[in-house]
């Protein structure tokens, strides 16, 4: 087991332990936000034939030489092609067909004139322009050709993909399975949110924040409940989570007399890969795996609510995203300008919870206040995690800093652009 390692090394040890999960077939709508496991090839050409981009008249361009509003050319309207219809015969000299958007251009026609450039006159039409060749004609296959790879594996499915799949006649897709995450809370002082929180008891809020983080990362979660601070009870609850893909426990992973997570994990066959990462909040984090036989990847996160969330964000989140098939698994990092002085000791990387504001082309970062790992409020206010590097001891106001962006709404607008 490695101990006292840096964040980057811990992250790569975690990510080395996982691959994208196998695929399952779901409806296209259920697949939104999930990752395509196979490539999608088209069995269709779209549009299937040359078709009109406008409501108007299909014409033979050569019949309209020199047509202008002052000197229109008159053609005989010999039939109508509605969307979904077909011209009954080729157009010949002096003939036009009434045509609607999306309808196939009849044989013999080589252009479409917009209705706005015409004037109907009984069974004839006066055309006031000389169109370009194939004007307002959508080419067969201009969207998709049969045999094209339309969607590549790894695509994160969105609304455009849903429409494309539907137009290819596909309502089911193969996507990577969602990781299953089991969540355990450990501690004699803990109660469920609807329990009696008097007399020094503490709500096991981590079960909620961590489940919410897991869901945001595309997982399905189960709550294993609260384990008491005995090795026996902890083992009982841990065993209930062994069929998950990832088991996340919080608390009891430090060096106190009641911290049984590490020995119990080893007892049930989980090999610890590391314990202790040089970061704050969250030094006492353990990561382990079952190497002989099946079993979940296991995280023993610290109990303090902010430490639990920040360590989840740094290590569990990218792992879950990778398991779900995603390739972009890390938070965007933006440059921001610090608006206060920060100081710390050398040795551990600090993730400072910051609120962000945009000022012209700069982003300003200010601490959310009390940075204690028990102050969950710092996570409700934070839009980013400022990276205060391990060996840096002070950052002065006005300095440029790196911030992991937590809040996807940060650049969204309340006013129309
Ligand atoms: P421990 O790691 O067991 O020393 O716990 C550190 C702190 O986190 C203690 O104040 C615990 O009460 C608190 N804590 C432990 N587990 C949870 C939890 N599931 N939800 C909220 N707070 C917790
Ligand atoms: Mg405890």
């Amino acid at each position: 087991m490695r101990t006292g390692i840096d964040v980057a090394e811990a992250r790569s040890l975690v990510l080395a332990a996982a691959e994208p999960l196998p695929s399952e077939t779901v409806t296209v709508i259920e697949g939104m936000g999930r990752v395509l496991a196979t490539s999608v090839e088209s069995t269709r050409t779209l549009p299937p034939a040359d078709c009109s981009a406008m409501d108007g008249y299909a014409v033979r361009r050569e019949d309209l030489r020199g047509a202008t509003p002052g000197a229109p050319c008159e053609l005989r309207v010999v039939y109508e092609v509605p969307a979904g219809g077909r011209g009954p015969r080729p157009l010949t000299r002096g003939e036009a067909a009434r045509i609607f958007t999306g309808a196939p251009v009849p044989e013999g026609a080589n252009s479409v004139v917009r209705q706005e450039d015409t004037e109907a006159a009984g069974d004839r039409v006066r055309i006031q322009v000389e169109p370009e060749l194939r004007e307002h004609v959508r080419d067969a296959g201009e969207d998709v050709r049969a045999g094209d790879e339309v969607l590549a594996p790894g695509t994160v499915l969105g609304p455009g993909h849903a429409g494309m799949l539907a137009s290819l006649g596909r309502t089911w897709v193969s996507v990577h399975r969602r990781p299953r995450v089991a969540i355990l809370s450990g501690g004699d002082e803990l109660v469920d949110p609807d329990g009696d929180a008097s007399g020094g008891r503490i709500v096991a809020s981590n079960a909620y924040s961590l489940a919410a983080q897991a869901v945001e990362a595309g997982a399905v979660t189960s709550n294993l409940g609260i384990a008491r601070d005995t090795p026996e009870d902890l083992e009982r609850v841990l065993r209930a989570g062994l069929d998950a893909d990832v088991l996340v426990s919080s608390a009891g992973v430090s060096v106190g007399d009641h911290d049984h997570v590490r020995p119990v994990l080893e007892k049930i066959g989980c090999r610890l890969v590391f314990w202790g990462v040089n970061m704050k909040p969250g030094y006492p984090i353990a990561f382990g795996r079952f190497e002989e036989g099946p079993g979940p990847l296991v995280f023993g996160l610290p109990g303090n609510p902010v430490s639990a969330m920040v360590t989840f964000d740094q290590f569990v989140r990218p792992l879950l995203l990778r398991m779900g098939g995603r390739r972009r698994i890390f938070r965007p990092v933006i440059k921001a300008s610090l608006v206060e002085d920060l100081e710390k000791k050398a040795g551990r990387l600090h993730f400072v919870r910051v609120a962000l504001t945009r000022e012209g082309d700069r982003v300003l970062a200010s601490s959310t206040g009390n940075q204690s790992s028990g102050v969950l409020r710092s996570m409700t206010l934070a839009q980013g995690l400022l990276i205060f590097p391990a060996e840096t001891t002070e950052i002065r106001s006005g300095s440029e800093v790196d911030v992991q962006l937590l809040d996807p709404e940060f650049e969204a607008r309340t006013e129309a652009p």
Side-chain angles (χ1 to χ4, degrees):
M1 182 187 75
R2 313 263 293 117
T3 193
I5 60 175
D6 290 340
V7 171
E9 183 179 359
R11 200 180 274 133
S12 48
L13 288 169
V14 167
L15 292 173
E19 289 192 2
L21 293 168
S23 63
E24 63 181 357
T25 302
V26 299
T27 69
V28 165
I29 298 301
E30 284 166 351
M32 287 302 90
R34 296 179 65 178
V35 182
L36 205 59
T38 54
S39 93
V40 173
E41 281 181 18
S42 179
T43 51
R44 296 183 177 171
T45 291
L46 298 175
D50 291 349
C51 64
S52 178
M54 291 286 167
D55 292 338
Y57 293 86
V59 295
R60 296 157 24 97
R61 177 173 180 258
E62 51 277 27
D63 292 343
L64 298 171
R65 293 253 153 75
T68 64
C73 291
E74 209 169 87
L75 300 176
R76 229 158 11 95
V77 182
V78 290
Y79 54 80
E80 182 176 303
V81 196
R86 264 193 81 140
R89 63 164 178 80
L91 285 189
T92 58
R93 189 169 175 176
E95 293 180 339
R98 183 83 173 106
I99 197 164
F100 298 92
T101 306
V105 174
E107 255 180 75
N110 55 17
S111 199
V112 168
V113 176
R114 299 184 307 161
Q115 187 169 313
E116 294 87 324
D117 295 325
T118 67
E119 189 192 335
D123 65 352
R124 302 186 148 255
V125 61
R126 285 190 205 105
I127 298 201
Q128 301 155 348
V129 293
E130 177 182 345
E132 299 291 328
L133 193 61
R134 301 183 68 77
E135 196 166 342
H136 305 310
V137 175
R138 294 179 185 153
D139 297 339
E142 76 173 18
D143 192 352
V144 173
R145 293 189 169 277
D148 283 354
E149 181 187 70
V150 196
L151 302 178
T155 302
V156 180
L157 294 173
H161 309 117
M164 174 59 78
L165 287 161
S167 50
L168 300 177
R170 300 178 63 133
T171 54
W172 294 81
V173 269
S174 171
V175 293
H176 291 282
R177 183 165 74 65
R178 293 185 184 280
R180 286 168 297 154
V181 176
I183 295 170
L184 174 157
S185 308
D188 286 339
E189 76 282 22
L190 300 179
V191 291
D192 283 322
D194 56 358
D196 172 10
S198 64
R201 278 182 286 248
I202 288 174
V203 170
S205 59
N206 292 351
Y208 281 72
S209 45
L210 299 174
Q213 286 178 292
V215 166
E216 255 188 7
V220 285
T221 65
S222 62
N223 187 354
L224 300 173
I226 298 167
R228 298 298 145 203
D229 277 329
T230 63
E232 296 72 28
D233 203 44
L234 188 60
E235 179 174 340
R236 177 184 66 80
V237 184
L238 274 175
R239 284 192 184 280
L242 293 185
D243 60 352
D245 299 306
V246 177
L247 200 162
V248 177
S249 128
S250 71
V253 75
S254 197
V255 292
D257 294 343
H258 302 288
D259 292 340
H260 303 298
V261 170
R262 288 190 286 154
V264 171
L265 281 176
E266 280 170 337
K267 180 181 172 215
I268 65 175
C270 175
R271 189 181 73 79
L272 289 182
V273 178
F274 63 77
W275 177 82
V277 177
N278 296 326
M279 62 186 281
K280 189 175 174 186
Y283 179 84
I285 166 179
F287 172 64
R289 51 195 300 193
F290 289 80
E291 282 174 348
E292 282 138 37
L297 298 173
V298 182
F299 291 89
L301 305 185
N304 279 305
V306 179
S307 312
M309 287 190 76
V310 171
T311 50
F312 186 106
D313 197 74
Q314 298 306 310
F315 306 114
V316 191
R317 179 181 182 273
L319 176 84
L320 297 179
L321 291 172
R322 169 163 293 170
M323 289 175 131
R326 295 214 180 212
R327 298 177 184 183
R328 297 175 180 224
I329 59 176
F330 301 113
R331 300 258 184 215
V333 175
I334 61 169
K335 298 284 181 200
S337 187
L338 184 63
V339 298
E340 67 205 80
D341 296 335
L342 292 177
E343 288 177 8
K344 69 167 177 65
K345 286 192 284 196
R348 291 186 187 173
L349 183 157
H350 285 207
F351 290 101
V352 183
R353 278 76 74 207
V354 289
L356 302 172
T357 44
R358 178 163 279 291
E359 195 187 75
D361 53 9
R362 288 193 316 165
V363 174
L364 305 182
S366 57
S367 145
T368 55
N370 188 337
Q371 295 286 308
S372 156
S373 56
V375 174
L376 197 47
R377 196 77 198 279
S378 70
M379 288 306 290
T380 68
L381 298 173
Q383 290 164 303
L385 294 175
L386 180 155
I387 298 166
F388 195 164
E391 297 314 320
T392 306
T393 56
E394 58 175 45
I395 311 179
R396 292 281 149 241
S397 181
S399 307
E400 187 182 77
V401 288
D402 285 332
V403 176
Q404 291 181 3
L405 193 58
L406 295 176
D407 181 3
E409 297 271 289
F410 172 61
E411 294 284 19
R413 308 170 57 108
T414 45
E415 304 87 36

